[in-house]
Amino acid sequence: MSILLTGGLGYIGSHTAVELLNRGEDVIIVDDLSNSKIIVKNKIMQITGKKFKFIKADLKNLKKTEKIFKNNNISAVVHFAGYKIVGESLNHPIKYYENNILITLNLLKCMEKYNVYNMVFSSSASIYGDQNEMPVKETFSTHANNPYSRTKLYIEEILKDFYNSNNKFNFAILRYFNPVGAHESGLIGEDPNDTPTNLMPYITKVATGELKELSIFGNDYSTKDGTGVRDFIHVCDLAIGHALALNKLKEKPGVFICNLGTGKGYTVLETVTTFNKVNGNLVKYKFVERRSGDIAISYADTTKAEKELKFKAKYNLEEMCKTSYKFEKNNK
Ligand code: UDP
């Protein structure tokens, strides 16, 4: 039996593939290469010394999706595939709704037809929006405030409806905080096709000289140094979270919703300063206006992950900064 990873050559998918292969699981990766590179397939094999099947396919195509389920013995789906750039989603909402939701619907249709009952879904802490209280618990209300986040929220609702219609299914919905860092080998990491919009990939490109200077969006928030606070979590910790969620599904949890973060908030300025401390003084920055739509503070309540998944993030911010830069240098 194999675990199907949709979007498995992407940033979080590739690290999860490594984790699952290292645990002796049989993995099939499907990816349309829209925001990933085929070379990642070889890098995963190089890191793990294991082989796996790769299928290039666009899961918006139901026939192609069905062929994958028909031709393989799939026990569970870990569903990463989806567009993920907030700014782009504001300009192209239909593209986001069509892609992210249609892929999920096609997967669910095939899971039902071929009796595949377990899915881990890649959701986002961005669905919490701006909250008055920190840390953020899974029980908090949701306020997705852009099309990207709304696709995540709507998919969560679709999964719940689907479960209510047929409770043979099990869904683990993982709400990621801010994934950063890279595999310690420096072979895989975050590698966006376009100029990055997220903080860490922007920082690493300033460090290598590809970009000139980091703009820190806002230094007038009510935080200790005025810059935004985020819960940065190492992508290898996140990958372990997926392996644990797959185990959780075997206990028949129905719909299990869980934050994946460290529970610690660091400011943007602290993050840049830590990066400069561990990698040499490479990143110049300036303060600019707040970015529209940004929230001031976001960090996770990790109680549920600790209790129910036995998950505790182990990498610190220094390791996140070191490995992010190692990958960027290797990949330049
Ligand atoms: N940020 C920044 N400069 C950048 C990119 C991001 O100051 O070039 C800040 C952003 O305003 C936020 C934090 O870094 O406070 C994390 O932003 P990111 O886009 O990585 O994640 P998200 O906003 O989804 O938490």
Side-chain angles (χ1 to χ4, degrees):
M1 297 289 273
S2 306
I3 300 168
L4 181 71
L5 270 56
T6 74
L9 293 188
Y11 177 41
I12 300 165
S14 58
H15 289 82
T16 303
V18 166
E19 180 63 32
L20 294 175
L21 289 164
N22 281 342
R23 287 173 183 241
E25 299 285 359
D26 202 45
V27 160
I28 299 174
I29 288 183
V30 55
D31 200 301
D32 68 354
L33 302 176
S34 61
N35 192 29
S36 60
K37 299 192 175 77
I38 190 64
I39 185 88
V40 174
K41 179 184 133 195
N42 293 339
K43 301 274 175 79
I44 297 170
M45 289 185 187
Q46 195 181 335
I47 293 169
T48 60
K50 306 248 172 82
K51 287 218 155 84
F52 59 88
K53 190 192 260 193
F54 169 70
I55 303 163
K56 180 178 183 296
D58 180 349
L59 299 172
K60 286 198 288 300
N61 183 321
L62 180 59
K63 278 206 178 114
K64 284 191 183 155
T65 310
E66 205 173 327
K67 206 167 142 203
I68 297 169
F69 280 79
K70 195 169 171 212
N71 294 344
N72 295 285
N73 202 357
I74 296 166
S75 61
V77 177
V78 187
H79 178 25
F80 301 101
Y83 297 150
K84 60 171 190 179
I85 303 170
V86 172
E88 186 188 39
S89 80
L90 289 163
N91 294 326
H92 302 284
I94 303 299
K95 175 177 164 181
Y96 272 67
Y97 289 122
E98 183 176 51
N99 186 71
N100 294 4
I101 296 190
L102 191 52
I103 288 177
T104 310
L105 296 178
N106 284 345
L107 286 170
L108 293 175
K109 283 183 192 169
C110 294
M111 287 170 70
E112 190 161 50
K113 184 158 176 188
Y114 292 92
N115 304 323
V116 179
Y117 294 120
N118 292 333
M119 176 189 268
V120 177
F121 173 60
S122 172
S123 189
S124 162
S126 67
I127 63 159
Y128 291 118
D130 219 347
Q131 298 281 342
N132 294 325
E133 204 189 319
M134 287 291 144
V136 180
K137 289 192 181 63
E138 290 83 352
T139 49
F140 282 16
S141 57
T142 50
H143 306 273
N145 59 9
N146 59 71
Y148 157 74
S149 305
R150 269 190 283 277
T151 66
K152 293 293 179 187
L153 186 58
Y154 295 163
I155 292 169
E156 288 197 6
E157 297 302 316
I158 290 168
L159 299 183
K160 287 182 206 163
D161 283 340
F162 197 66
Y163 171 75
N164 288 334
S165 76
N166 184 345
N167 52 30
K168 271 192 193 154
F169 283 89
N170 296 297
F171 296 106
I173 294 171
L174 303 179
R175 293 176 175 168
Y176 312 152
F177 279 69
N178 288 60
V180 296
H183 190 265
E184 60 184 10
S185 63
L187 290 171
I188 55 172
E190 188 165 14
D191 187 14
N193 278 345
D194 299 318
T195 304
T197 52
N198 290 119
L199 180 65
M200 190 59 88
Y202 204 100
I203 289 179
T204 58
K205 286 197 190 300
V206 175
T208 58
E210 197 177 322
L211 295 171
K212 218 175 112 231
E213 185 178 35
L214 172 75
S215 292
I216 295 184
F217 300 135
N219 61 347
D220 55 355
Y221 288 108
S222 307
T223 61
K224 62 179 165 186
D225 57 27
T227 66
V229 168
R230 292 293 184 275
D231 184 339
F232 299 101
I233 175 168
H234 196 292
V235 65
C236 291
D237 274 326
L238 211 55
I240 292 169
H242 289 76
L244 297 174
L246 280 163
N247 290 340
K248 180 79 184 173
L249 292 176
K250 293 179 191 148
E251 296 167 17
K252 184 78 193 85
V255 179
F256 173 75
I257 298 181
C258 194
N259 288 340
L260 287 184
T262 64
K264 291 192 198 84
Y266 287 99
T267 68
V268 172
L269 190 57
E270 279 173 330
T271 308
V272 184
T273 310
T274 306
F275 188 95
N276 277 339
K277 190 181 96 194
V278 298
N279 293 317
N281 249 338
L282 297 165
V283 181
K284 278 209 304 181
Y285 58 84
K286 63 175 178 200
F287 296 110
V288 300
E289 290 289 290
R290 292 180 181 192
R291 182 170 67 179
S292 133
D294 268 355
I295 56 173
I297 304 178
S298 165
Y299 57 93
D301 186 306
T302 57
T303 315
K304 188 169 181 185
E306 279 169 41
K307 242 183 161 160
E308 298 196 37
L309 277 187
K310 309 282 175 260
F311 173 82
K312 183 121 185 81
K314 56 176 192 279
Y315 291 93
N316 61 30
L317 188 62
E318 296 198 352
E319 290 159 321
M320 298 180 211
C321 292
K322 266 190 205 161
T323 53
S324 290
Y325 184 48
K326 184 174 180 184
F327 171 71
E328 189 63 38
K329 274 188 298 183
N330 277 355
N331 195 45
K332 198 166 179 268

